[in-house]
Amino acid sequence: MTDKTDVLVVYFSMTGNTKRAAEEIALKVKGDIVRLTPKVPYPDDYSKLSEVAKQQLDQHQLPELANDHIDLSPYNVVFIVYPAWWAQPSMLLHTFFKQEHFDGQEVIPFMTSVSSKVEESLPVVEKLLQGDVELLDGITANSNDQIDSFLKEEGLIR
């Protein structure tokens, strides 16, 4: 990894676990942070959420983002932080990737999950990325210690 100066952390979180991870990353790397939110909120009830999310995945439905366009041009490194939904990013992240164009950034996938590994989602993320981008291996982590260790290994803690 080369010397980086400007970092953006983009995340989607339903339960707060991924939000905490994204905030920890942004704090440690002194980066900007953007939360992706769906235009139509997901259900709070887990079983209903699961049904909606599975339907979106199975039918390749792209939920609309409530966010405006995110200007990625000032950033050298973009963390994409997401929970694993069927071992990949939610369809809301698919929408983000479809709408945004990367230009020379290093993209670091960061997944929170107790059962899936980020490596399982990399083929999907790689397929979704548009533009000139370097996709790094990323990490699955659920604790601040794991986050800190990864950021130190990558030379991103300032």
Side-chain angles (χ1 to χ4, degrees), residues 71-86:
D71 182 10
L72 301 174
S73 65
Y75 301 100
N76 299 32
V77 176
V78 179
F79 279 88
I80 307 295
V81 186
Y82 55 93
W85 287 10
W86 293 276

Side-chain angles (χ1 to χ4, degrees), residues 2-158:
T2 58
D3 291 335
K4 296 301 166 197
T5 55
D6 296 311
V7 178
L8 175 64
V9 178
V10 177
Y11 77 96
F12 168 66
S13 181
M14 275 301 300
T15 64
N17 293 332
T18 305
K19 177 184 180 194
R20 283 187 290 280
E23 289 172 342
E24 180 71 11
I25 293 166
L27 177 70
K28 296 287 183 177
V29 301
K30 296 179 176 44
D32 294 334
I33 189 166
V34 174
R35 179 181 182 171
L36 298 178
T37 54
K39 194 170 225 174
V40 176
Y42 283 107
D44 289 329
D45 177 75
Y46 181 78
S47 61
K48 289 179 183 170
L49 166 64
S50 193
E51 287 175 27
V52 169
K54 185 67 169 142
Q55 178 182 348
Q56 287 177 348
L57 178 65
D58 290 345
Q59 297 178 10
H60 304 287
Q61 296 173 344
L62 297 176
E64 284 186 68
L65 283 167
N67 306 66
D68 291 329
H69 166 73
I70 299 168
D71 182 10
L72 301 174
S73 65
Y75 301 100
N76 299 32
V77 176
V78 179
F79 279 88
I80 307 295
V81 186
Y82 55 93
W85 287 10
W86 293 276
Q88 67 169 299
S90 73
M91 294 306 287
L92 189 68
L93 269 287
H94 288 233
T95 302
F96 167 75
F97 284 121
K98 184 175 176 129
Q99 289 181 193
E100 303 302 335
H101 183 80
F102 292 82
D103 186 23
Q105 290 88 2
E106 290 181 349
V107 173
I108 304 174
F110 189 100
M111 190 169 78
T112 56
S113 175
V114 294
S115 61
S116 298
K117 300 289 181 209
V118 74
E119 295 83 8
E120 297 172 68
S121 72
L122 288 179
V124 173
V125 173
E126 187 171 28
K127 205 163 134 182
L128 293 169
L129 281 170
Q130 301 180 62
D132 175 24
V133 62
E134 181 181 353
L135 179 62
L136 302 183
D137 290 340
I139 184 174
T140 305
N142 297 297
S143 74
N144 287 350
D145 289 342
Q146 291 171 311
I147 294 168
D148 288 350
S149 176
F150 175 79
L151 295 175
K152 284 176 186 171
E153 285 174 20
E154 295 298 322
L156 287 166
I157 290 186
R158 300 178 189 181

